[in-house]
Amino acid sequence: YPCFSPRQSAYFSFFGAHILCPAIGGRLPTQVSDTVVEPYNAALGLHHLTENADGVVSFDNESLFDIFSRCLKTTPTFGDMNHMVSQALSGVTCSLRFPGQLNNDIRKLLTNLVPFPRLKFLTPSFAPLMSRGSQGYFQPTIPELIEILFDRESLLCSFDPSQGRYLSTACVFRGNVYMPLVDSALADLRDSAHEKFTNWIPDNIKASMCGIPCGWWKRASHMLCNNTAIKDVISRILVQFDSLFDKGAFIHWYVQEGMDEMELTEARANITDLISEYDACGVAACMEPADAELCSATEPDPGQTG
């Protein structure tokens, strides 16, 4: 990777900071994890990332497993899922390594994706989600790529985006792509599905291009989105955390390693505040711009939370 200034280096570290969330539905993971204390680990990681990271890319083990099972028709190993994570992250940072007409960098990504300091949990997706053997008979068009990107089943974190609003999105297109057609397709999406986007952040879809193809596909696309429905994932962590913490289960192992039990209590309080902030921002997304501005002005001071 190229050299960065100290501030840019701090931004770059956000791509290495991601959380692997527990499984869906309040149950402990069975398909992709055998760690009973995963809710504790996820909550503690979420607590520290909320306070220290500039941005967080969130992945869900269950979502990764489901994509392999549904789209690629295979049972993945942890190596396979790690490869998918690396593909998603390398796609949104490709302009750091390759030249392009509309290059992006990490500073621009975070400037456009994080409207408030604590609402920085981003969800990746990429298209096409198909096996390598599919390239011979399917090469997606630009509108098809955009449709796949915003499809719920393409998100690498399990939540329903229709239950929230997109605060901002950043799309990176690679390969043989005609940018005026991309801009037109994104504008059509913004107009036809305006209820999915917040109405007080104008032009909240950012597009960039890299002419170097992605692997064996002539054209591909990657996306990072900031959707208020990510609070459902955070709430799931909190529910699973409470199911163990209320009984005092497994806490002694953390205490024996030198951790104070109060750290778990602080992590829970911070997560609860974060969910409330996403709820408030989700309400603001449905308001008129003037009312939303008033709501955002009353957002809690991050230094007073947790």
Side-chain angles (χ1 to χ4, degrees), residues 15-36:
F15 283 105
H18 60 273
I19 55 173
L20 292 176
C21 303
I24 300 172
R27 58 185 174 84
L28 291 178
T30 56
Q31 293 177 308
V32 291
S33 177
D34 56 359
T35 305
V36 179

Side-chain angles (χ1 to χ4, degrees), residues 203-306:
D203 301 325
N204 53 359
I205 303 180
K206 177 177 175 57
S208 60
M209 174 188 171
C210 176
I212 306 300
C214 177
W216 52 84
W217 294 100
K218 294 181 180 179
R219 67 174 64 93
S221 57
H222 304 259
M223 180 179 75
L224 284 177
C225 67
N226 193 342
N227 191 295
T228 59
I230 191 70
K231 69 181 179 63
D232 294 339
V233 178
I234 301 173
S235 298
R236 186 169 76 239
I237 294 176
L238 186 61
V239 168
Q240 295 185 353
F241 178 93
D242 286 343
S243 67
L244 295 178
F245 190 70
D246 289 346
K247 300 296 184 181
F250 302 106
I251 294 178
H252 64 286
W253 294 111
Y254 292 85
V255 174
Q256 289 177 11
E257 293 296 326
M259 178 181 293
D260 193 325
E261 185 175 337
M262 185 60 64
E263 292 184 46
L264 292 170
T265 304
E266 291 175 355
R268 189 195 184 285
N270 198 10
I271 293 174
T272 301
D273 290 343
L274 183 63
I275 294 172
S276 298
E277 290 171 33
Y278 269 111
D279 279 332
C281 201
V283 171
C286 303
M287 296 179 178
E288 293 299 323
D291 296 332
E293 182 178 351
L294 177 61
C295 181
S296 63
T298 61
E299 187 194 39
D301 183 1
Q304 299 177 357
T305 59

Side-chain angles (χ1 to χ4, degrees), residues 8-68:
Q8 288 175 314
S9 297
Y11 274 119
F12 183 72
S13 67
F14 108 101
F15 283 105
H18 60 273
I19 55 173
L20 292 176
C21 303
I24 300 172
R27 58 185 174 84
L28 291 178
T30 56
Q31 293 177 308
V32 291
S33 177
D34 56 359
T35 305
V36 179
V37 294
E38 190 176 57
Y40 284 157
N41 297 338
L44 290 170
L46 183 62
H47 169 55
H48 288 288
L49 290 174
T50 301
E51 298 301 324
N52 300 314
D54 293 301
V56 181
V57 180
S58 306
F59 297 91
D60 190 312
N61 279 337
E62 196 80 8
S63 179
L64 296 172
F65 189 93
D66 181 62
I67 287 174
F68 273 97

Side-chain angles (χ1 to χ4, degrees), residues 11-136:
Y11 274 119
F12 183 72
S13 67
F14 108 101
F15 283 105
H18 60 273
I19 55 173
L20 292 176
C21 303
I24 300 172
R27 58 185 174 84
L28 291 178
T30 56
Q31 293 177 308
V32 291
S33 177
D34 56 359
T35 305
V36 179
V37 294
E38 190 176 57
Y40 284 157
N41 297 338
L44 290 170
L46 183 62
H47 169 55
H48 288 288
L49 290 174
T50 301
E51 298 301 324
N52 300 314
D54 293 301
V56 181
V57 180
S58 306
F59 297 91
D60 190 312
N61 279 337
E62 196 80 8
S63 179
L64 296 172
F65 189 93
D66 181 62
I67 287 174
F68 273 97
S69 302
R70 185 187 67 254
C71 299
L72 305 181
K73 310 299 182 184
T74 184
T75 301
T77 64
F78 277 108
D80 294 329
M81 291 191 288
N82 286 336
H83 178 70
M84 180 171 288
V85 170
S86 66
Q87 284 287 95
L89 294 181
S90 65
V92 295
T93 59
C94 64
S95 59
L96 301 176
R97 302 183 297 277
F98 306 114
Q101 290 180 342
L102 292 173
N103 265 1
N104 212 342
D105 60 33
I106 297 173
R107 187 182 298 274
K108 290 180 182 178
L109 280 175
L110 289 180
T111 300
N112 286 274
L113 288 173
V114 181
F116 303 110
R118 288 169 57 87
L119 306 187
K120 54 193 172 188
F121 293 87
L122 313 176
T123 304
S125 71
F126 64 91
L129 279 173
M130 295 184 178
S131 64
R132 182 171 185 172
S134 303
Q135 62 173 321

